[in-house]
Amino acid sequence: MEILSGIRYNKRGKTFKTGMLVILTMMAALSGLGCKQPIHQKPATSLLSFFSEKDFNQFFPQHSQFFTYAALKKAIDEMGNVEVKIEKRGQWIYKITRIDKLSGVSTIVRQDDDWDQDWAKKQEYTVVDLDYDNFCGDKNRTLDKKEAAAFFAQIAHETRNGTDHQYNDGLMLKQEIDTSSSYVILNKIYPAVKGASYYGRGPLQLSYNGNYGFASTCILGNKDILLNNPEQVSTDPVLAFKTALYFWMTPQGQKPSAHDVITGVWKPSAAELKSGYQPGFGMTINIINGAIECNKGEGQMAMKDRIGFYNYFLKLFSIEDKSGTCSCGKMMPFSS
């Protein structure tokens, strides 16, 4: 993973009212036949509505016991209770508000020192209201299997332990094999903690102190939790999946979110079109690892492996992707 800085009665008489009362009573009785739900329980998350634990194990036949269906389900359910409002002045001055949908509490979890400066207020203002419950679906709970295929492809590639092109080796590694690099960079907002290493961990291999801090801010409401204890991402499987959902759904810096580019929400500007940017799977590669894999032609092996996984999951889900660009071979990487 690349470095990122730092998303209503009418009156009809007594007979009518009595009839309606009977109908409503019957409806209430019928509704009681099912299990009663707690007040705050949401409908089943759209992604998990189309596959079971058995299916999950077939999708990832060699997956580590760290990466389980239960952990993924819990991560999706819990992240679905979180919204974040990401405000920016220019590209790099942030104010982030985290909303807990269960309690209704909104908390400012990040406001950069320059936010209220007069010069900063003159910068372009943008805002993103991000609901993590829209992962692989939308507010109407409409399933997006193409997005699911893209997400599974990326986490499979990032955690694979083999290169036999059978695409059965995903979700095997919970962290990088080579942990000798600490992945520390200078970051005023998310400074590295002495002695901590921020190498790739989790399904999307979260790496660098900036990413750990931003993830901790959005997921947990406190940047210091993962900055101080980055190893939690490789010891807590639910948290590990949450970091992947966070990264997939959250735009950062100049980058749109992978969710927006694969679903077609994001529309490239004229300048972005000149850089070869197009909605589709290829842009998700650029967001995740563009500096290493993009604008290097169609033969780049890691990019080809990601595309292979994508086609594998599209086939598993009995769908096709005829609208998006799968390759990033002619896309300029992001500058950061």
Side-chain angles (χ1 to χ4, degrees), residues 1 27 35 64 75 79 103 112 144 164 178 188 203 241 254 270 288 308 310 321 327-328:
M1 183 182 292
M27 289 175 64
C35 296
S64 163
M79 283 295 282
S103 66
D112 295 351
D144 190 331
D164 61 2
D178 182 0
K188 179 182 177 182
F241 274 118
Q254 297 177 321
I288 293 170
Y310 183 46
D321 182 357
S327 165
C328 69

Side-chain angles (χ1 to χ4, degrees), residues 52-266:
S52 65
E53 182 173 8
K54 180 179 178 180
D55 295 324
F56 176 84
N57 293 333
Q58 291 176 341
F59 297 163
F60 303 100
Q62 299 187 62
H63 74 86
S64 163
Q65 288 307 301
F66 181 79
F67 294 119
T68 64
Y69 176 85
L72 174 61
K73 182 181 186 302
K74 188 173 182 180
I76 292 173
D77 286 344
E78 292 183 357
M79 283 295 282
N81 292 322
V82 176
E83 295 179 357
V84 293
K85 180 178 182 178
I86 303 176
E87 300 172 85
K88 290 197 300 180
R89 302 194 195 279
Q91 286 295 330
W92 307 111
I93 306 173
Y94 280 80
K95 179 180 179 180
I96 302 177
T97 304
R98 185 182 183 275
I99 302 96
D100 183 324
K101 291 194 289 185
L102 294 182
S103 66
V105 174
S106 298
T107 306
I108 297 174
V109 291
R110 171 179 172 179
Q111 182 169 314
D112 295 351
D113 292 341
D114 294 329
W115 180 259
D116 287 325
Q117 295 295 314
D118 290 339
W119 67 267
K121 292 179 180 179
K122 295 177 183 178
Q123 304 298 308
E124 180 185 10
Y125 172 83
T126 56
V127 60
V128 174
D129 292 302
L130 174 58
D131 187 344
Y132 289 106
D133 201 27
N134 291 337
F135 172 66
C136 288
D138 56 26
K139 63 183 180 181
N140 296 317
R141 316 205 64 76
T142 302
L143 173 67
D144 190 331
K145 287 187 178 181
K146 186 175 76 171
E147 182 181 4
F151 177 76
F152 282 168
Q154 294 291 15
I155 65 174
H157 169 84
E158 290 288 334
T159 58
R160 78 196 193 288
N161 189 18
T163 55
D164 61 2
H165 304 293
Q166 298 299 306
Y167 307 111
N168 59 1
D169 53 357
L171 288 186
M172 296 181 71
L173 302 176
K174 62 183 180 180
Q175 63 186 38
E176 289 190 62
I177 295 176
D178 182 0
T179 61
S180 60
S181 176
S182 61
Y183 287 82
V184 169
I185 59 168
L186 183 64
N187 191 305
K188 179 182 177 182
I189 307 299
Y190 302 121
V193 173
K194 185 177 180 179
S197 293
Y198 303 96
Y199 52 76
R201 298 178 177 93
L204 277 178
Q205 296 290 283
L206 190 73
S207 54
Y208 290 96
N209 48 299
N211 279 321
Y212 276 84
F214 204 118
S216 193
T217 298
C218 293
I219 298 169
L220 304 168
N222 185 334
K223 69 178 182 179
D224 294 327
I225 295 176
L226 293 186
L227 282 175
N228 291 333
N229 301 286
E231 66 278 359
Q232 288 188 30
V233 180
S234 55
T235 59
D236 183 338
V238 176
L239 180 58
F241 274 118
K242 285 182 179 181
T243 65
L245 301 176
Y246 142 82
F247 188 86
W248 187 261
M249 297 292 294
T250 311
Q252 297 172 57
Q254 297 177 321
K255 297 181 178 184
S257 70
H259 167 79
D260 283 353
V261 303
I262 195 65
T263 60
V265 172
W266 171 78

